[in-house]
Amino acid sequence: PTPPPPQGVAVRPAGRPLASLVILGAIVVIYIISCLLSGSLFEPSLAALIFLGAKQNDLIAAGELWRLVGAMFLHGNLVHIFFNGYALYALGPESERIYGTPRFLAVYFIAGIGGSVASYLFSPATSVGA
């Protein structure tokens, strides 16, 4: 028998966790692109990451606000994407099933943009990752 859901959590009907898998696919494709631009599978170059949308304070201050979202899809090295990708693979589909796709996406993007804004406000360093 299936255990009951936690109290206060409305379980959505079982369906394909499409959004989490699309995000996972996007981060893998973008990582491959960053590697191809860099010529290294293990660690994309800083220039490639900046070109693709890394959080860089001076560029954001100049109006490139899209970097607050773009940085969420970039990863600094193979270990970084492996662990983030694994976490998304292991936790994303179930979270999406429990909370539904719109809420899952809202949490994912609010958390990612919130992290980028915090990084912008508190660190001058170039950064990537959700």
Side-chain angles (χ1 to χ4, degrees):
T2 304
Q7 287 190 327
V9 175
V11 176
R12 306 281 181 224
R16 288 192 164 158
L18 189 58
S20 54
L21 297 178
V22 167
I23 292 169
L24 181 59
I27 66 171
V28 168
V29 167
I30 293 168
Y31 183 77
I32 291 168
I33 292 169
S34 69
C35 290
L36 291 172
L37 290 173
S38 302
S40 170
L41 173 65
F42 299 106
E43 190 168 336
S45 69
L46 182 59
L49 293 173
I50 291 170
F51 175 75
L52 292 172
K55 191 250 3 166
Q56 182 143 355
N57 288 7
D58 59 331
L59 297 176
I60 292 170
E64 295 185 18
L65 298 178
W66 62 273
R67 291 178 177 280
L68 297 172
V69 175
M72 293 172 45
F73 293 92
L74 296 168
H75 293 82
N77 57 46
L78 195 57
V79 173
H80 185 197
I81 191 169
F82 174 79
F83 282 107
N84 280 16
Y86 178 74
L88 183 58
Y89 176 78
L91 302 173
E94 190 62 20
S95 297
E96 190 176 349
R97 279 189 199 98
I98 291 171
Y99 298 110
T101 299
R103 285 188 181 139
F104 170 79
L105 289 172
V107 168
Y108 187 85
F109 280 96
I110 290 169
I113 293 168
S116 290
V117 169
S119 179
Y120 174 78
L121 293 174
F122 299 114
S123 173
T126 300
S127 66
V128 295

